[in-house]
Amino acid sequence: MVRDGIAADRLVARLAEHAEIGATPDGGVCRLALSDADRAGRDRLVAWMHELGLTVQVDRIGNVFGTRAGSEPGAAPVMTGSHLDTVATGGRYDGVYGVMAALEAVRRLDELAVTTRRPIVVAAFTNEEGVRYQPDMMGSLVHAGGLALPDALDTVGIDGTRLGDELVRIGYAGDLAVGAIRPHAFVELHIEQGPVLEAEGLAIGAVADLQGISWQEITVEGQSNHAGTTPMRLRRDAGAAAAEIVVFVRELALRFGEPQVATVGRLRLHPDLINVIPARATLTVDLRHTDEAKLQQAEAELAAFLERLAAERGLTVKSRRLARFEPVVFDQRLVRTIEAAAAARGYGVRRMTSGAGHDAQMMARIGPAAMIFVPSAGGLSHNPREHTPAEQLAQGANVLLDVLRRLAG
């Protein structure tokens, strides 16, 4: 089994071809969920699934499933995959690598004439990034029963569109009931999106747990006024308050120490004019920690700071939750299976924590789940320069192949 690896050139070629869909001038990819580019990416995937003889199904939230039959009727399938959507300034590996490697694993099983006892399902989940529609990991969350389908379909995006309407528009409002496919296990292959594996010279990360995520949108209401005639002591400056929040969030994370991280990723001022004191500031705060109690403590400290800031500055400060997911501990037997598969091929491997959210996080709610990481050059992701060398892409796909063979019998 160790010698029967996938062909790196075919995997790289598949990734390169798919990266042409939504390609940006700087070498990146922009395929926001349910956009025309996302539709084209889905169409390409479905065509490739049919070429491999997979049975293709689309559920009512738009998740795409391609099934390779097993020899045992009624056996729960082994599922693998990830997502096709990207951030606006994305690269060619985040998400799509896990889907394309799964296709190559299926093709290699066919070439080796391997019949598995359990079916193998290749999945591409809807709206993992959560850029156009929130929350992120939406398709897998709905699949796992964590978000009601009607609520997901009624989600309004940052461009004012309704998710359910866009699903219909691009032709991916499927008829399969959400959650209909209940996997025996779920394995997701992904680039690390961080610097650890590269720094340590290792090929494979066996992801044992995943940070909890807290997203919120904060709106600060002050009063716009003339920038030249209003004394500093009499201002109700929403922009200055937003700056204080940004500094507080950074200092909170530094004070808590690793693995606490905190980010203000979006900040907008109104009326956004050079000579007018901002009347309103809208910003997002992303808090993450592997410990649920610590994450709750960070949220509480931020809430208390916002309350003090409003009182001291004469402002109105409101917070709206965008997404909230507790930390996840993956199935330890499955993590050990990944470690053993990597070791059998002679690949350096270590256990790791994922700082990013992934579909495996949601699938862990309904069955054993774990993740396989490969290095990201320079630790870059969500960036057009995102890159992983072909050899390392193939190594991750080989581990996935071996794990699928073991799990599917």
Side-chain angles (χ1 to χ4, degrees):
M1 181 168 66
V2 168
R3 293 187 299 273
D4 300 330
I6 64 100
D9 57 343
R10 295 192 309 204
L11 173 58
V12 171
R14 202 186 284 276
L15 284 165
E17 183 177 342
H18 203 275
E20 296 173 1
I21 303 170
T24 56
D26 55 5
V29 179
C30 178
R31 283 193 304 267
L32 298 186
L34 311 188
S35 63
D36 290 343
D38 187 25
R39 170 173 54 192
R42 290 162 173 263
D43 289 347
R44 184 72 54 85
L45 171 64
V46 169
W48 283 338
M49 285 178 166
H50 283 308
E51 288 177 6
L52 289 169
L54 304 183
T55 300
V56 179
Q57 296 172 288
V58 181
D59 72 9
R60 292 172 185 161
I61 195 62
N63 297 324
V64 179
F65 303 102
T67 302
R68 183 181 192 264
S71 63
E72 183 176 305
V78 175
M79 186 181 290
T80 185
S82 193
H83 62 97
L84 302 180
D85 65 309
T86 72
V87 297
T89 55
R92 63 173 56 190
Y93 303 102
D94 179 3
V96 67
Y97 165 55
V99 181
M100 298 302 117
L103 292 181
E104 286 303 311
V106 166
R107 176 155 67 174
R108 190 60 182 145
L109 291 175
D110 290 345
E111 291 172 343
L112 296 170
V114 171
T115 299
T116 58
R117 183 171 64 86
R118 296 182 183 276
I120 294 175
V121 176
V122 178
F125 291 105
T126 295
N127 187 40
E128 191 273 350
E129 294 291 1
V131 174
R132 190 179 180 198
Y133 303 98
Q134 295 166 351
D136 53 347
M137 288 91 71
M138 182 184 284
S140 52
L141 181 62
V142 172
H143 182 90
L147 177 63
L149 176 64
D151 293 338
L153 295 177
D154 281 338
T155 301
V156 176
I158 58 175
D159 54 1
T161 58
R162 178 179 174 272
L163 185 144
D165 295 337
E166 288 294 272
L167 266 180
V168 172
R169 184 185 70 82
I170 69 169
Y172 279 88
D175 55 9
L176 179 69
V178 294
I181 302 176
R182 308 291 286 191
H184 168 70
F186 179 80
V187 183
E188 182 173 3
L189 173 61
H190 208 281
I191 59 171
E192 180 193 348
Q193 301 180 281
V196 175
L197 290 174
E198 182 182 58
E200 297 184 5
L202 298 173
I204 300 295
V207 184
D209 56 1
L210 191 147
Q211 287 184 329
I213 299 174
S214 171
W215 281 4
Q216 51 189 300
E217 180 184 77
I218 298 169
T219 302
V220 182
E221 297 282 355
Q223 184 179 64
S224 63
N225 214 330
H226 196 290
T229 63
T230 309
M232 299 300 291
R233 60 187 173 81
L234 298 178
R235 297 185 179 205
R236 295 170 58 212
D237 188 338
E244 290 188 66
I245 295 170
V246 172
V247 172
F248 175 83
V249 165
R250 174 176 171 78
E251 291 180 345
L252 180 147
L254 293 173
R255 175 162 46 85
F256 272 47
E258 294 185 359
Q260 177 72 59
V261 291
T263 306
V264 173
R266 188 171 67 208
L267 172 59
R268 296 176 180 174
L269 302 179
H270 176 81
D272 197 25
L273 298 170
I274 190 171
N275 60 348
V276 179
I277 299 167
R280 182 172 64 253
T282 304
L283 62 157
T284 58
V285 175
D286 178 325
L287 301 173
R288 306 191 189 207
H289 204 289
T290 55
D291 184 292
E292 174 63 17
K294 289 287 187 181
L295 185 57
Q296 289 183 15
Q297 182 182 344
E299 291 173 315
E301 291 197 18
L302 175 60
F305 173 78
L306 296 178
E307 186 175 347
R308 292 196 305 272
L309 183 68
E312 293 171 1
R313 301 287 184 266
L315 304 165
T316 300
V317 181
K318 296 180 180 179
S319 178
R320 179 171 69 94
R321 176 174 288 183
L322 300 176
R324 180 59 164 86
F325 303 119
E326 293 186 2
V328 171
V329 176
F330 287 128
D331 184 84
Q332 293 303 294
R333 288 189 300 175
L334 192 46
V335 173
R336 289 194 294 270
T337 299
I338 293 168
E339 290 174 320
R345 286 188 177 269
Y347 303 155
V349 60
R350 62 160 287 172
R351 289 198 176 196
M352 334 186 38
T353 293
S354 172
H358 296 285
D359 290 310
Q361 173 180 356
M362 303 307 162
M363 297 303 291
R365 299 183 177 200
I366 59 173
M371 297 188 68
I372 304 165
F373 274 175
V374 295
S376 295
L380 286 178
S381 185
H382 287 187
N383 185 308
R385 292 188 293 130
E386 174 181 277
H387 179 68
T388 297
E391 179 184 5
Q392 293 175 342
L393 293 171
Q395 289 171 339
N398 286 336
V399 173
L400 177 66
L401 172 65
D402 295 346
V403 171
L404 292 177
R405 289 179 69 169
R406 179 168 297 186
L407 294 175

